[in-house]
Amino acid sequence: MTNKAEILMHPVRLKIAQALMRNKEKGLTPLEMVKIIKDVPQATLYRHIQVLHDAGVIKIIKEKKVRSVSEKYYTLNEEAARLNSEELKKSSDEEKLNYVSNYQLTLLTQYQSYLSTLKQKNCTEDRSTFSLVELKLGEQDFENFQQDLNDLMLKYYKRNTNNPDVPAHTIAVTIIPEI
């Protein structure tokens, strides 16, 4: 599998990447990932971890000897995990639609889990938000907007928080330009 978009946009691999994003400082072992990603069988998860590792999207940050087994801790290789527009252009329209479907399905699954958790905890305050806006921007303003948005998201993503009590917030952005 040499198509980076195909590697990154698989539903199971998206879940692995997201789990690793939430644990970027210390990394995760495959067993810890199994406990986080409960809806994927262990053998399947291990196979997808290997695909991501072989592609350089995730890397081993440390190994710890536990009994006679060496436990590997993985983290996201953030540069390799970014999909740029040139790489996406190599995909067919059908592949792009599949990637967007996987992306949306991942968000839908996560949102369903969020709503279930709210119900289980008898929480009445739903803090999720949705927004849709059409911006009339010239080409340069559009490029500036994309860069500003990327910079803003990276600013908060890179904040070092080792506090497990600080909740993660999923921010998903889809930009569809008008032609």
Side-chain angles (χ1 to χ4, degrees):
M1 201 177 309
T2 57
N3 182 335
K4 187 173 178 183
E6 187 179 336
I7 291 166
L8 291 170
M9 297 306 291
H10 187 280
V12 173
R13 294 191 283 267
L14 280 170
K15 289 178 182 185
I16 293 168
Q18 193 167 29
L20 291 173
M21 275 188 245
R22 291 180 176 195
N23 294 278
K24 60 185 172 185
E25 287 86 17
K26 64 179 179 92
L28 292 171
T29 67
L31 198 55
E32 289 171 326
M33 287 185 230
V34 166
K35 291 175 185 171
I36 293 169
I37 307 168
K38 297 176 179 138
D39 60 334
V40 177
Q42 185 173 348
T44 301
L45 196 67
Y46 277 54
R47 193 170 55 254
H48 288 286
I49 290 169
Q50 191 61 53
V51 169
L52 289 168
H53 184 257
D54 291 347
V57 174
I58 63 175
K59 59 187 176 186
I60 298 168
I61 55 168
K62 69 180 174 182
E63 290 189 46
K64 194 161 115 180
K65 200 82 157 159
V66 178
R67 296 185 197 111
S68 62
V69 179
S70 181
E71 214 172 37
K72 295 175 181 164
Y73 286 78
Y74 292 92
T75 190
L76 197 63
N77 183 354
E78 293 177 0
E79 288 303 313
R82 285 199 183 93
L83 187 62
N84 66 39
S85 60
E86 291 305 312
E87 292 161 330
L88 198 54
K89 285 177 188 175
K90 296 174 187 174
S91 303
S92 70
D93 288 350
E94 186 178 339
E95 289 171 324
K96 289 176 189 175
L97 285 172
N98 284 335
Y99 302 151
V100 169
S101 295
N102 289 339
Y103 166 77
Q104 294 294 337
L105 184 60
T106 299
L107 290 175
L108 180 61
T109 302
Q110 187 174 349
Y111 189 65
Q112 287 173 325
S113 175
Y114 166 75
L115 291 175
S116 294
T117 303
L118 279 179
K119 192 178 235 178
Q120 289 169 0
K121 293 184 176 182
N122 286 326
C123 188
T124 58
E125 186 180 3
D126 179 355
R127 297 190 58 210
S128 63
T129 62
F130 305 92
S131 61
L132 174 66
V133 65
E134 292 198 8
L135 302 175
K136 295 218 173 242
L137 300 172
E139 197 59 39
Q140 187 59 53
D141 283 340
F142 180 62
E143 286 180 27
N144 291 343
F145 171 77
Q146 284 186 301
Q147 187 61 55
D148 291 347
L149 184 60
N150 188 51
D151 291 345
L152 182 64
M153 290 174 64
L154 283 174
K155 171 186 168 185
Y156 286 95
Y157 176 73
K158 289 183 175 182
R159 284 195 173 174
N160 187 7
T161 175
N162 293 324
N163 184 347
D165 296 328
V166 174
H169 303 274
T170 299
I171 311 294
V173 178
T174 302
I175 296 176
I176 304 170
E178 185 178 84
I179 297 177

